Amino acid sequence: RALCILPPPSTPPVLEPSAFSRAIHNSGEPFHSPPYISSWTTVGNYPSPVFDDHLHRPPAAFSSRHRFVNPRETILRHILPNPSAADPRASGDRKGGALSSELLRTGPAEKIAFHPKTVRAAVVTTGGLCPGMNTLIREIFLSLTKVYGVEEVFAVPYGYTGFTAPPSTPSDASSPSPLPSLTPLNLAAVDKIHHRGGSILGSVQTPGFDADKTAAIIGDLHLSMVFVIGGGGSMAAASLLSAAAQALRLKTAIIGIPGSTDNDIPVIDKSYGFDTATRVAIRAVKSAYVEATSAVNGVGLVKLPGKACGQIACYAALGSQAVDFVLIPELKFRLDGPKGLFQAVLDRFKTQGFAVIVVSEGAGAEMMGEIGER
């Protein structure tokens, strides 16, 4: 999947509500524009080089309005005409109207905040591994260097700790704390990494993440852009890091790229890695089905990732069409009793002679009680 990396526009757009969302806006609820770097520091106003290269240039018949995204464009995420009076969102003046939520559309901006030749960008992968991380690293590098002409792109090793870890070379103890040593990325380093799993940068959890300290180091490194690839926790940390950068008035854009097998990040429809994880899960479920049907009263039990989100389990069940019971963290269930899981499995034995159960790792956690820190 190709990824187009977009430096932030130089000025925030003036957003106008669409007809569908006017009911919400007229009721007094504000339309929240995302933070733009020009709102807390001074940046440039440079023409985008996206279409300067003939390889990326659209046909001459296309005007600039077809080449670049209008900064006022939004995408309707949900449209609910004539909501029910029982819907809590339909209270007050919105009864009988329309409800919608909108997202600001992204794409190539005609004017950008950073001159590509002055950009110092960094890429970091954090949290658990997911399929596609190396592909994202590669596409970020190629988009920045080949499309925008950026000359300096750095690799941050082992998550956010790569910003705060000491450099590989010793320094004078009397000098201030040394800055981390970031490795420049080049074409040879990323050329074939999309054929490899994991992350060439390393990806670890970051307990005790200090956004203020990390932001200060990013400022000392004079980084213009930091691309964070990771799951829900990584995106939450990136949000804190962005707020810390704003507080310090850094000329730095923090860009979050959701990579999570669990698909547990709000707002977006699908995170990187989820499709691959689901395909692998379907194969495991089908294998469990074969084993279960080959035994008397056989049970095929498959545990899948999903500590707080059961999407892999649900999609694997739908994709395989071979599952009798799906247990996910979002829905509580009981084991014993006439309506419990055990009785349901026994009933299934009577009707078909086997059962296939898919369990998300976080399902039934409330039954486990206190089991230490986790």
Side-chain angles (χ1 to χ4, degrees), residues 3-367:
L3 175 70
C4 184
I5 300 304
L6 308 167
S10 57
T11 56
V14 179
L15 299 177
E16 299 173 357
S18 69
F20 287 103
S21 61
R22 205 160 286 136
I24 290 181
H25 298 303
N26 290 344
S27 68
E29 293 191 11
F31 190 98
H32 294 287
S33 174
Y36 280 80
I37 192 169
S38 57
S39 64
W40 71 80
T41 188
T42 303
V43 292
N45 190 31
Y46 305 102
S48 173
V50 168
F51 298 122
D52 290 348
D53 187 341
H54 71 280
L55 294 177
H56 304 93
R57 188 178 302 155
F62 278 58
S63 64
S64 61
R65 68 187 181 90
H66 292 109
R67 302 181 185 188
F68 298 107
V69 170
N70 185 323
R72 293 187 297 275
E73 290 181 32
T74 57
I75 297 174
L76 289 168
R77 182 164 174 255
H78 298 299
I79 305 173
L80 181 61
N82 303 313
S84 168
D87 193 319
R89 298 169 299 174
S91 59
D93 296 337
R94 287 174 282 174
K95 288 182 178 179
L99 293 173
S100 76
S101 60
E102 299 179 37
L103 301 176
L104 188 66
R105 186 185 178 201
T106 61
E110 192 166 7
K111 299 291 183 180
I112 58 178
F114 302 117
H115 193 287
K117 299 301 180 184
T118 66
V119 165
R120 287 170 55 86
V123 186
V124 55
T125 54
T126 71
L129 295 174
C130 80
M133 275 188 165
N134 281 335
T135 300
L136 289 170
I137 295 168
R138 181 176 182 269
E139 293 300 328
I140 290 170
F141 175 82
L142 294 178
S143 294
L144 288 173
T145 57
K146 300 298 184 182
V147 178
Y148 283 93
V150 173
E151 297 177 350
E152 291 186 291
V153 183
F154 298 95
V156 181
Y158 300 106
Y160 290 115
T161 58
F163 286 115
T164 55
S168 55
T169 55
S171 61
D172 184 356
S174 62
S175 64
S177 298
L179 293 175
S181 178
L182 304 183
T183 303
L185 285 175
N186 53 48
L187 185 59
V190 304
D191 189 29
K192 303 297 183 183
I193 63 173
H194 54 300
H195 298 303
R196 296 167 51 184
S199 167
I200 64 166
L201 308 182
S203 184
V204 297
Q205 304 285 348
T206 311
F209 172 69
D210 190 331
D212 294 330
K213 179 180 178 180
T214 305
I217 292 174
I218 288 173
D220 292 339
L221 290 170
H222 304 290
L223 295 176
S224 314
M225 304 175 189
V226 176
F227 295 89
V228 180
I229 304 171
S234 302
M235 295 299 102
S239 180
L240 295 174
L241 186 58
S242 179
Q246 293 180 43
L248 294 175
R249 299 187 179 278
L250 298 181
K251 293 185 179 182
T252 306
I254 309 296
I255 302 99
I257 302 175
S260 169
T261 56
D262 292 351
N263 200 32
D264 57 351
I265 301 172
V267 179
I268 65 169
D269 294 323
K270 193 182 299 182
S271 59
Y272 287 94
F274 176 67
D275 279 345
T276 303
T278 301
R279 288 196 296 269
V280 172
I282 288 173
R283 292 202 296 268
V285 170
K286 288 183 176 180
S287 297
Y289 173 82
V290 171
E291 294 287 343
T293 56
S294 300
V296 178
N297 292 340
V299 176
L301 181 62
V302 181
K303 187 184 85 167
L304 296 175
K307 183 178 180 182
C309 178
Q311 291 219 20
I312 293 181
C314 290
Y315 276 73
L318 290 171
S320 65
Q321 293 291 297
V323 179
D324 298 296
F325 305 100
V326 182
L327 310 180
I328 60 175
E330 291 90 338
L331 296 177
K332 293 183 179 181
F333 59 93
R334 61 182 72 170
L335 296 177
D336 299 312
K339 294 185 178 181
L341 176 64
F342 294 153
Q343 185 60 50
V345 172
L346 291 175
D347 293 341
R348 192 55 55 97
F349 286 162
K350 295 176 182 179
T351 59
Q352 67 178 26
F354 67 92
V356 177
I357 307 171
V358 170
V359 186
S360 289
E361 62 177 315
E366 67 278 356
M367 302 180 190

